[in-house]
Amino acid sequence: MRKIGKLAVTGSGPSALYFLNHLLEDIEYFRGSLGSIVIFERSSLAGYGMPYHPETTDRYNRSNIASEELPELPEQFATWLKERDREELSGWGIEKDEISESEVYCRLALGEYFHDQFHRIIALLREAGFPVEVRTSCEVADIEDFPMDDRVRISIGTGGSDDFDSVVIATGHCWQNQDRPKEGFYSSPWPIFKLLPDDGVLLNHSVGTLGASLSAFDVISSISHRHGEFIATGPGLEFLPAEGTENFELVMHAAEGWLPHLQWDQVEPFREIYRHVSREEMLSLRDDRGFLRLGQYFDYVCRPALLDAFKKDGMGTIVELLRDSSFGMEEFVEEMSERHEYVDSFDGMRKELKKAQDSVENHRPILWKETLDDLMYCLNFHAELMPAEDHILFKKTVMPFLMNVIAAMPLQSAHMLLALHEAGKVRLIAGRVKVHGKGKEPGTTLVKIETGNGSEEIEYRMFVNCSGQKPMELDDFPFQSLAKSGGVREARADFLDREKSGEVDDEKLICSGGVKKLRTGGIDIDAAYRVIGRDGVANQRIYDLSFPHTSGVRPYSYGLQACSATAGVVVSTWREAIQSRREEEGGLAEVSKMYDEI
């Protein structure tokens, strides 16, 4: 294997944090191969990550992961919290005597924990004899690859550059669209402070969000806390609007009119790639052309696992449906979606809240959700085997359902949302939304909502796109020298039969070697997360862990656990190559041998 040498890491958020932690755990293998490490962070503060950064989020934005679900770092989150003083904990809304491994806390607390662990890991790497430099307020403006010299150049936004032997890209979230504050339009909720009024100022008008996801609730939580007060009333909450907010209202727009599923108790809070199928069985499902069909995966892996889970959950109707071989992935998604559809989504959330509280408080797991999550996690790490037709189906049908089921809302957040609804301060509008730009009234954005019954238009003085990070296109890739030189290429998938695949927009197609393929979004990587160039060859010097960059190849990310698993793949392939004294493998058949240990 070529030496790792002088290593650059772009970004210092969770992906970088878990990468460094995996490196630390295996550090003895890298003596003689790894030189110095330089970490670039555009913020003045390193080790947080965008969703947890004090410059990005506030105390009312709650995470949706408990201490017991966090991948291992030098110290557990709950243990770390117990070491904080009462005043610091109070600033995060945490009672010292009530800290629990199963509780969900605000993002600021999690960010400070990551920040502490980041610096602890760096100190341990230095103690092990590896020089580590953290360059804050240092944004990477570009990356250039020099294959003939076997080196990579990083250029800094403020000027200057530095050469490296290896680079790990871990830049995380990057919002490309521009805000238009004069029209009241915001392309993302972040940083949350841009949406908040000055002290003493109230937004006595409607605020709209595109989406009813956890990000939308971040907007709702931060703004509502500044326009009233939440009062505990027995098991729930009551919202008391501030004087002068008679016209203040929060309006969520969701295509299907769904609110998120709620937090549930789990038997095993950590996802495993091969919990329900072995690596050998998974690879054996490929057809003669090497494709893994979504229907085949559902029949041979998902169906038996879900049957067992639904039996244990006592859901006999679904068990009978799953026993019918004609009841496939699409039918399953449709059936389970209908069970979550309510005439009044808030009334539905009230009903589900009782079940969710019983699950969490009495440790009654909802096995089908946990099983489904593991199954999709496994599929994610084999998604490059799917043909284009199945990528289309997965993105159109399966992913919207998964994001609603798996991105579970904490129970505390559900109580707040219901309190706002009871107070007449939040509502949900179903239908597909298109932002048309400036409204007729100065300082407004015009939104058009399409439903099965027609359409309507609404003008908002504040409208926030909370639909999440989209796969990054090649033109938006932050390191354009790589893009323009052919050092990276667009992610793509082969069609089983292009003639029979139905209508696909030309903009979603790419011509490669005279053959039309599906553009799946983002950039192409191999199973070891090495970027693939225009020539189809994986780059031995550059690795990309950023989900927005790689989601065309890895479409389903399970948050922080996926950050750790992804980073673990890279470190494990390095270690394996060093031990075997050969070039590292980038093919799925070889890399997947390490999935069990990760």
Side-chain angles (χ1 to χ4, degrees), residues 193-258:
F193 303 103
K194 69 185 180 183
L195 307 177
L196 306 180
D198 295 334
D199 290 343
V201 177
L202 297 173
L203 303 177
N204 197 22
H205 56 73
S206 295
V207 175
T209 67
L210 177 54
S213 63
L214 299 184
S215 293
F217 184 75
D218 285 331
V219 174
I220 289 169
S221 179
S222 287
I223 293 179
S224 63
H225 272 94
R226 290 161 172 86
H227 290 76
E229 184 180 5
F230 289 93
I231 304 294
T233 56
L237 293 172
E238 181 182 359
F239 181 71
L240 303 179
E243 187 177 346
T245 61
E246 291 77 16
N247 297 317
F248 169 67
E249 180 188 37
L250 296 147
V251 185
M252 297 181 289
H253 292 268
E256 306 296 338
W258 294 340

Side-chain angles (χ1 to χ4, degrees), residues 384 525-531 538-540 542-545 554 566-574 584-588 591-592 594-595:
E384 63 260 54
I525 54 167
D526 69 2
Y529 289 85
R530 300 181 298 186
V531 300
N539 192 314
Q540 297 278 353
I542 304 175
Y543 300 75
D544 199 326
L545 307 182
R554 293 279 178 266
T566 297
V569 167
V570 174
V571 174
S572 294
T573 54
W574 286 358
E584 65 197 88
E585 296 286 347
L588 180 63
V591 173
S592 59
M594 289 168 268
Y595 283 175

Side-chain angles (χ1 to χ4, degrees), residues 105-173:
Y105 297 107
C106 76
R107 293 223 193 105
L108 282 178
L110 194 51
E112 290 300 328
Y113 163 71
F114 286 150
H115 175 72
D116 179 86
Q117 299 300 293
F118 175 79
H119 287 287
R120 188 174 301 195
I121 290 167
I122 287 173
L124 291 170
L125 286 168
R126 288 170 177 162
E127 286 178 18
F130 292 84
V132 183
E133 180 184 359
V134 182
R135 300 182 187 177
T136 55
S137 301
C138 197
E139 183 170 8
V140 176
D142 204 1
I143 297 176
E144 295 176 83
D145 187 35
F146 297 94
M148 299 300 293
D149 299 324
D150 199 22
R151 62 187 172 89
V152 184
R153 177 167 297 163
I154 284 185
S155 299
I156 309 305
T158 54
S161 62
D162 202 350
D163 287 358
F164 294 87
D165 300 298
S166 305
V167 173
V168 171
I169 299 170
T171 49
H173 293 278

